[in-house]
Amino acid sequence: MEESELIVLNPWIPQSPGLSRVKRDWIIPPIRVLENSKQVPEDLVQIKSDKIFTSQVFYRLEGPGVDQEPKNLFDIDEKTGIIRSKQPLDRENHKSFKLKAFALSPSGQRLENPTTIEIMVLDQNDNRPSFIKSQFTGSVSEFSVPGTSVMSVWATDADDPSTDNAILSYSIIGQESEPGDAVTKVMFGINNETGAIYTRDVGFDREVVKSFRLKLQVGDMSGMGLTNESVAIIHVTDINNHAPQFSPSMYHVSGVENRKDYELCRVNVTDRDEPGTGNWETKYTVTRGNTGGHFVVHTDPVSNQGVLTVVKPLDFESQSEYTLILTVANRNPLSSKAPNVPVSSATVVVTVLNENEAPRFREDPIQILVPESVVPGTILKTNLAYDPDQTGLRYEIISDPERWLEINKVTGDIITRRPFNIRSSHLRNGIYNAVVRATDGGGMTTSATLLITLKETNDYPPQLVPLSGTVCRPGDNPDSALLLTALDEDLAPHAEPFTFDLPDQMALNWTIVPVNKTHARLHSLVELEVGQYAVTVQVMDAGTPVLGSFAQVNVTVCVCDSFSQCRSETAAMSGSSVGISFIALIIIMAAIALLLLLLLLAVAINGCTSRRHLQKESALLVGESQEDVRDNIFNYDEQGGGEEDENAYNLDLLSPSDAPHIPAPSFCAGPRGKQPLRKDAPHNLPSPTYPRRPPADPTDIEDYINDGLEAADRDPNVPPYDTALIYDYEGEGSLAGSLSSIASGSSDGDQDYDYLNDWGPRFKKLANMYDPR
């Protein structure tokens, strides 16, 4: 505007009626500036100070739009005080500005207090209204009546809401249906102020039209200004106005007997309601014909078919055909707007196919409770199984570890074959397991387990133990007693507690006192002499019926020491915990061992004596033959104490005429190592001369031995003449056999020595020497 057209303000001079002076501060009305002005720079207002009449004044402007953000929107002419806008203003960004104006001297001194200048930006309709969504989505239920609220749409406008520039108006400018042209009439209206969409007419049927597409428009200045568009998609939602219907309604199927959990058939239905919703989903029911509960029907969630299933095996012999009635309904209740039609039903005729069935046991496992004492031949169980096809059965027992049972192959009667033993290792917790098998005429087999529970019976009387023992004389220890108990092969409750008793004649001198359920003490009542007493005791069990036994207890009454121990060794041994039978056995075995030792010693002494006689002879077996039989003689490490030959028999020094017999080398040998020494004569004396040749007459053998014994007694350097000499083992394999078989001079009769001719040339001489001819 021209300078003459500018509004001149004298904020520091009182004016009326718009200005008032308050402590030299002035309140100036806002300066209104239109946004988006294209006349820039544009003079807005001019201010003047009353100091211009007395001095030179300079003007300065500060605040947002000048030296604060947003900068460079305004400035002031420092000499004239004209305030200008340098750029177009935008009300949507800044609605107003508050600036401060200063009047300064040339030196920069404030001549007046600063004054506030407010600049208001006036709105222009420079913004179109805008929908908050490019597409709105809503739904309306089918068969909705006019006036039913569907949805609302919204739009905004950036212009000043206090002006007409922001007053909006909504409208529907187009309508389309899916499928196309299904509905041609206007079905929806909209509130032009609020944007609420509602139904205007009837005819919403989801089976006819699935959805609508509405074209929306909004305009500011009450629809006369700027406009914008959007789209609203409205779906017609389903209600359950169609009941499902079977298609077809009659089915004929076949079922196999003795099978379960298999699909028999599927039934189909039609439903015009929306698939995948509860208005379309079905549930089936078998309402009639399901005798025995063999069938169940459920829904396939994908196809919506009814699946008929056999859940309990069919039996041709019981029922060969079933007529089932199935009904169907939706999961959601049927709408009141649906046609009134009867509930749809279908008939399914099931024919059962016959097949050869295996035998069936009436129970498995077969439970049998029987006393353990049942006698062989007793029938334990009958009527075990049956054949559905009635072809006849044959029975057999295929597992019977103890062979206690037998079975009638035709009737199946289980019979005891042998007595039961409740202590068998094949019993577990008193139960015996066996297995029986049934086979029909077609070869089909079935097995069942026999569980035979053996009931304990009182079969065995208790036996008293021990049957012997010792007690102290009452004067030595009044509390001395013999502890008794019993053994019972029965189990509870036919065993303990045991009852101990004495016959009347025994009760005069003895008494028996219970200790617990299994033990009792036998006491003497009177002063008894030391010795053995036979006491008859009766013991009875707690079974039904009660069984008992009598036993004679051998009680040894002895004199005891202060420790209540028998002083007599025999009595102590009898009363020891080892038991009299065991002690006796030890004594017998020790006696037998001693006798065997003495016998072996006697044999050894006899053999060694004969050996010494033969070694003292010379050239006994040397004859005409030059053959050497020493290959059959074993050499030993040592020959025994006192012998001159320590390696082997020197057969070359023997002659047939020097000795009547040959000793047995397998028992006669000297000690291996140091020889035993005599203790009845001084040592290291010259040895006397021993007789080297036996007498010619065998009857003089005794004199010969006595001579040798006398010589040995005078020789302190050799062991006694009768010392047993033990040789090492000779080994086996000699063709000549044992030399100990040669008869000695002690024989009373003639002997046949012809067998020596088979032993070699040298033994022929020996045979000739003893030949009675």
Side-chain angles (χ1 to χ4, degrees), residues 253-266 286 289-298 306-316 319-324 326 348-353 355 360:
V253 295
S254 298
V256 181
E257 67 173 340
N258 303 320
R259 288 178 56 193
K260 66 176 183 176
D261 298 329
Y262 67 94
E263 181 180 314
L264 186 63
C265 68
R266 292 189 172 218
V286 181
N290 192 13
T291 305
H294 295 275
F295 306 95
V296 168
V297 60
H298 65 275
V307 181
L308 187 62
T309 304
V310 177
V311 295
K312 184 178 179 181
L314 303 174
D315 185 6
F316 174 83
Q319 187 171 347
S320 60
E321 185 177 274
Y322 295 84
T323 300
L324 306 178
L326 276 61
V348 180
V349 179
V350 181
T351 302
V352 182
L353 301 179
E355 64 177 12
R360 299 178 184 175

Side-chain angles (χ1 to χ4, degrees), residues 566-605:
C566 289
R567 296 177 183 176
S568 170
E569 182 178 354
T570 303
M573 182 179 298
S574 300
S576 65
S577 61
V578 176
I580 186 64
S581 60
F582 182 66
I583 296 299
L585 180 62
I586 293 178
I587 295 175
I588 293 172
M589 292 180 64
I592 293 173
L594 181 60
L595 291 176
L596 290 176
L597 180 61
L598 294 176
L599 180 61
L600 291 176
L601 182 60
V603 173
I605 292 174

Side-chain angles (χ1 to χ4, degrees), residues 9-29 112-116:
L9 299 178
N10 295 287
W12 295 279
I13 300 175
Q15 298 181 13
S16 61
L19 298 176
S20 62
R21 184 76 178 244
V22 180
K23 296 182 180 180
R24 300 195 58 79
D25 290 333
W26 302 94
I27 298 176
I28 302 175
E112 303 281 356
N113 289 334
T115 186
T116 299

Side-chain angles (χ1 to χ4, degrees), residues 297-467:
V297 60
H298 65 275
T299 304
D300 185 327
V302 177
S303 65
N304 214 29
Q305 294 175 312
V307 181
L308 187 62
T309 304
V310 177
V311 295
K312 184 178 179 181
L314 303 174
D315 185 6
F316 174 83
E317 288 72 25
S318 299
Q319 187 171 347
S320 60
E321 185 177 274
Y322 295 84
T323 300
L324 306 178
I325 304 299
L326 276 61
T327 58
V328 63
N330 290 125
R331 292 192 178 277
N332 291 342
L334 199 63
S335 173
S336 60
K337 299 179 181 180
N340 188 12
V341 296
V343 176
S344 179
S345 64
T347 302
V348 180
V349 179
V350 181
T351 302
V352 182
L353 301 179
N354 187 26
E355 64 177 12
N356 186 22
E357 303 176 57
R360 299 178 184 175
F361 281 92
R362 302 186 187 280
E363 58 176 318
D364 187 12
I366 302 171
Q367 304 278 353
I368 299 176
L369 177 64
V370 61
E372 63 167 331
S373 58
V374 64
V375 297
T378 303
I379 297 178
L380 303 181
K381 195 76 172 180
T382 60
N383 195 19
L384 300 180
Y386 66 94
D387 183 13
D389 300 312
Q390 300 180 355
T391 59
L393 297 178
R394 294 189 65 80
Y395 298 89
E396 60 180 329
I397 295 178
I398 61 176
S399 177
D400 181 14
E402 292 285 358
R403 300 180 61 82
W404 285 342
L405 308 172
E406 62 182 10
I407 192 169
N408 188 307
K409 295 183 178 181
V410 178
T411 64
D413 295 343
I414 298 177
I415 306 170
T416 56
R417 178 180 180 181
R418 297 168 49 194
F420 291 131
N421 180 10
I422 200 170
R423 290 154 188 82
S424 170
S425 60
H426 293 93
L427 265 70
R428 296 292 182 271
N429 298 323
I431 299 176
Y432 178 71
N433 284 9
V435 180
V436 62
R437 180 166 60 195
T439 305
D440 65 9
M444 300 291 290
T445 63
T446 303
S447 299
T449 302
L450 293 175
L451 297 182
I452 302 177
T453 302
L454 295 183
K455 184 179 179 180
E456 176 79 14
T457 58
N458 198 12
D459 304 311
Y460 301 95
Q463 302 297 323
L464 192 70
V465 289
L467 297 178

Side-chain angles (χ1 to χ4, degrees), residues 413-602:
D413 295 343
I414 298 177
I415 306 170
T416 56
R417 178 180 180 181
R418 297 168 49 194
F420 291 131
N421 180 10
I422 200 170
R423 290 154 188 82
S424 170
S425 60
H426 293 93
L427 265 70
R428 296 292 182 271
N429 298 323
I431 299 176
Y432 178 71
N433 284 9
V435 180
V436 62
R437 180 166 60 195
T439 305
D440 65 9
M444 300 291 290
T445 63
T446 303
S447 299
T449 302
L450 293 175
L451 297 182
I452 302 177
T453 302
L454 295 183
K455 184 179 179 180
E456 176 79 14
T457 58
N458 198 12
D459 304 311
Y460 301 95
Q463 302 297 323
L464 192 70
V465 289
L467 297 178
S468 63
T470 62
V471 296
C472 297
R473 292 190 309 173
D476 296 341
N477 186 354
D479 297 329
S480 178
L482 178 61
L483 184 64
L484 301 177
T485 185
L487 299 178
D488 197 327
E489 296 187 29
D490 293 313
L491 301 177
H494 301 292
E496 67 271 2
F498 298 119
T499 301
F500 300 88
D501 197 6
L502 296 174
D504 294 339
Q505 65 273 17
M506 292 295 167
L508 298 176
N509 297 330
W510 301 88
T511 184
I512 190 165
V513 179
V515 176
N516 52 33
K517 293 181 179 180
T518 57
H519 291 75
R521 291 183 180 273
L522 180 63
H523 296 265
S524 63
L525 295 175
V526 298
E527 187 74 22
L528 299 175
E529 297 295 332
V530 174
Q532 290 190 345
Y533 297 85
V535 180
T536 302
V537 178
Q538 183 185 22
V539 58
M540 293 174 290
D541 60 21
T544 303
V546 175
L547 296 181
S549 65
F550 289 90
Q552 179 176 299
V553 181
N554 296 321
V555 182
T556 300
V557 179
C558 63
V559 178
C560 296
D561 55 18
S562 59
F563 299 101
S564 298
Q565 300 292 329
C566 289
R567 296 177 183 176
S568 170
E569 182 178 354
T570 303
M573 182 179 298
S574 300
S576 65
S577 61
V578 176
I580 186 64
S581 60
F582 182 66
I583 296 299
L585 180 62
I586 293 178
I587 295 175
I588 293 172
M589 292 180 64
I592 293 173
L594 181 60
L595 291 176
L596 290 176
L597 180 61
L598 294 176
L599 180 61
L600 291 176
L601 182 60

Side-chain angles (χ1 to χ4, degrees), residues 55-60 78 103-111:
S55 63
Q56 188 177 2
V57 178
F58 292 92
Y59 299 97
R60 191 176 70 183
E78 63 179 7
L104 304 175
S105 65
S107 62
Q109 183 180 2
R110 289 184 182 183
L111 300 177

Side-chain angles (χ1 to χ4, degrees), residues 658-718:
D658 291 337
H661 65 22
I662 299 175
S666 58
F667 292 96
C668 190
R672 302 185 63 181
K674 187 176 181 179
Q675 299 179 358
L677 299 178
R678 297 272 299 276
K679 297 182 180 180
D680 56 350
H683 296 271
N684 300 325
L685 295 179
S687 300
T689 303
Y690 287 85
R692 303 305 296 174
R693 300 173 63 87
D697 189 354
T699 59
D700 297 335
I701 293 300
E702 182 179 358
D703 296 336
Y704 169 77
I705 293 175
N706 292 332
D707 293 342
L709 177 61
E710 182 180 358
D713 290 339
R714 295 195 301 270
D715 188 355
N717 297 323
V718 299

